[in-house]
Amino acid sequence: MSTASVPGTRPEPPARSGSAAAIGWVLTILLNVVAPILTYNTLRDDHGWSEFAALLAGSVWPVLDTAVMAAWRRKLDEFAIVTLVFIVITAVVSLVGAHSARALLIKDSGVTGLFGLLCLATLLAPRPLMFYFGRKFATDGTPASTAWWNGLWQFEGFRRTMIVMTTVWGVAYVAEAGVRIALAYTLDTDTMVTLSPFMIYGVLGALALWTMRYGKRSRAQGEARAAAAAGAGGSAS
């Protein structure tokens, strides 16, 4: 009996298109990461723009990415939507309250905290946020690979994995924001300016590592259950 014929067995992913994946990744990184940072720093340092104005100008690039991806794949990518929501949250937070160094540090924490709350809020949606993040990073964006990923939702183990991942990311970022806000009021500004990036990227790195390991372990457990079911079916016949 082949693996594909065993009920409850996840189908293997289709062959990835190297060119499609490469183009997608280059556009994503350039328009969502590199271009906004360069735009923000250039306008702030070389042209004296305000923080909000420079941030707003940099947000044009992810909007362009959304338009390009929508035109290329003829659908609106949920990952791009989340990126735009995150930019809006950042812009709104930057407008609230004072503009002291400590206030800016607290605002940064507020942004990550709101992202954590967004993760937790999507647990009430038909599919949690990590389902869409996973589809962005686990597929090349072609119709075949997208359909494969969407089809995995029928498996209870896959749904549980996405829910657990989303919960962990949400709780971790809410906790990280709370700790950084508390430290912003406790430590001096110079110390926090140095410490804050380490906390941001440290939490991100830890979550990324945990996500990869947890995903592999969950898949292995699912394959083991499918193999056991196949063996039981073969014995019964």
Side-chain angles (χ1 to χ4, degrees):
M1 180 180 293
S2 67
T3 302
S5 63
V6 178
T9 300
R10 297 184 189 180
E12 292 298 318
R16 292 173 66 106
S17 169
S19 59
I23 293 173
W25 273 108
V26 169
L27 286 175
T28 295
I29 293 173
L30 287 179
L31 297 179
N32 287 279
V33 180
V34 178
I37 291 175
L38 289 177
T39 300
Y40 179 86
N41 290 334
T42 299
L43 294 177
R44 286 280 289 155
D45 298 339
D46 299 341
H47 300 282
W49 284 39
S50 67
E51 177 190 27
F52 176 72
L55 180 65
L56 191 62
S59 68
V60 171
W61 296 107
V63 173
L64 178 60
D65 177 56
T66 301
V68 170
M69 290 301 175
W72 180 23
R73 296 171 180 169
R74 297 186 179 181
K75 70 180 183 66
L76 195 59
D77 184 79
E78 293 84 356
F79 184 85
I81 294 175
V82 171
T83 300
L84 293 177
V85 170
F86 196 69
I87 289 172
V88 171
I89 290 174
T90 304
V92 170
V93 170
S94 70
L95 288 176
V96 177
H99 288 77
S100 66
R102 176 170 277 108
L104 291 176
L105 290 170
I106 294 173
K107 289 175 184 180
D108 285 342
S109 303
V111 171
T112 56
L114 287 172
F115 176 75
L117 291 176
L118 176 63
C119 288
L120 297 177
T122 62
L123 294 174
L124 303 176
R127 298 181 184 183
L129 187 59
M130 285 302 134
F131 171 84
Y132 300 106
F133 273 50
R135 190 172 67 186
K136 178 70 175 180
F137 294 108
T139 73
D140 57 13
T142 56
S145 62
T146 299
W148 162 75
W149 182 263
N150 292 343
L152 295 179
W153 188 251
Q154 66 183 295
F155 301 104
E156 190 275 335
F158 179 82
R159 295 195 299 271
R160 183 175 61 251
T161 298
M162 294 297 105
I163 290 171
V164 170
M165 285 182 176
T166 303
T167 302
V168 170
W169 277 71
V171 171
Y173 268 114
V174 169
E176 182 265 353
V179 170
R180 277 205 295 145
I181 290 174
L183 290 177
Y185 282 107
T186 304
L187 303 177
D188 61 86
T189 302
D190 290 342
T191 302
M192 274 305 299
V193 168
T194 302
L195 180 61
S196 186
F198 283 99
M199 293 185 65
I200 294 173
Y201 292 109
V203 170
L204 177 60
L207 284 172
L209 180 61
W210 173 84
T211 299
M212 288 188 293
R213 291 182 174 179
Y214 178 72
K216 290 180 180 179
R217 185 169 67 250
S218 297
R219 180 176 178 83
Q221 291 173 347
E223 291 174 347
R225 287 193 296 268
S235 299
S237 61

